[in-house]
Amino acid sequence: MQRALLFAAAASIVLVAATGCFTAGAKTLDPLRMPEPPSRVVVPSPPPPAEPPPAAAPPATTPVSSPPPTAPPPPNPTPPRPTGTTPPPVTTAPPEPTPTLQTTTNTVEQVRKIQEQIDNAKRDLGKIDRAKLSRAVKDQFDRASELCRLAEDYLKVKAFDLADRCSDKAARMANELAKGFISPTSP
């Protein structure tokens, strides 16, 4: 009896589980539908302009006798060349150099400021004994020297914005290096 009861319980569990799998699922009312494309508005092209009516024929006149046209004289195929003279040399003006775009009108003041920053950087770098520096600090020293050179080059070609950036950075780097690494023999 226990065996029959156990069999009946197992069968009912399997039956309930099987019917649950068949009915479980997503219920969708409507599948995803694409919306209808918008209607197109067709604008008719304007009609071609009507051709103007043909011009009225000029009134008939009696021909007036005119003298027959005369043929123009034939052109001279080769113009006479003067002998013994050479044609003047053709001189072309050299092209004018393109003007440099200036972003400021007071370039004298800007050049003075840039040159002052370069001089300050060189003065500060001159106070430092490069031989006594560590490798990392030597790299910074070389970079500040390179920025000074770049600022001078930019100043020569009147690239004041770039010269100002390089000179400012060089002056700041040299000032920081001088604060920590001034050699004892410098004045």
Side-chain angles (χ1 to χ4, degrees):
M1 169 102 171
Q2 270 185 335
R3 196 173 183 124
L5 190 58
L6 187 59
F7 180 73
S12 64
I13 290 176
V14 169
L15 183 64
V16 169
T19 59
C21 290
F22 291 121
T23 60
K27 292 185 178 182
T28 58
L29 299 175
D30 293 330
L32 293 178
R33 284 186 284 156
M34 293 291 294
E36 294 296 321
S39 61
R40 306 235 187 258
V41 178
V42 178
V43 178
S45 62
E51 292 189 25
T61 59
T62 59
V64 178
S65 64
S66 61
T70 59
N76 193 357
T78 57
R81 279 196 141 180
T83 58
T85 60
T86 59
V90 178
T91 58
T92 58
E96 295 181 19
T98 57
T100 305
L101 179 63
Q102 299 293 327
T103 57
T104 181
T105 57
N106 191 6
T107 58
V108 174
E109 179 64 27
Q110 192 173 14
V111 169
R112 186 198 60 75
K113 177 187 163 217
I114 293 169
Q115 193 60 50
E116 184 178 312
Q117 287 176 333
I118 292 171
D119 293 341
N120 287 342
K122 285 183 176 181
R123 184 194 65 233
D124 288 343
L125 291 173
K127 294 177 184 178
I128 300 170
D129 184 12
R130 186 180 184 281
K132 295 181 181 178
L133 300 177
S134 67
R135 183 178 192 139
V137 179
K138 279 183 186 179
D139 289 341
Q140 289 184 3
F141 181 92
D142 293 340
R143 181 68 180 144
S145 299
E146 178 68 16
L147 285 169
C148 286
R149 188 192 61 75
L150 278 174
E152 288 173 337
D153 289 346
Y154 286 135
L155 202 55
K156 287 177 189 173
V157 295
K158 297 183 180 181
F160 299 124
D161 186 41
L162 296 171
D164 185 41
R165 281 192 250 163
C166 289
S167 65
D168 181 52
K169 192 167 187 176
R172 283 187 284 130
M173 286 178 72
N175 187 20
E176 290 297 317
L177 286 170
K179 282 180 182 177
F181 299 102
I182 295 178
S183 63
T185 59
S186 59

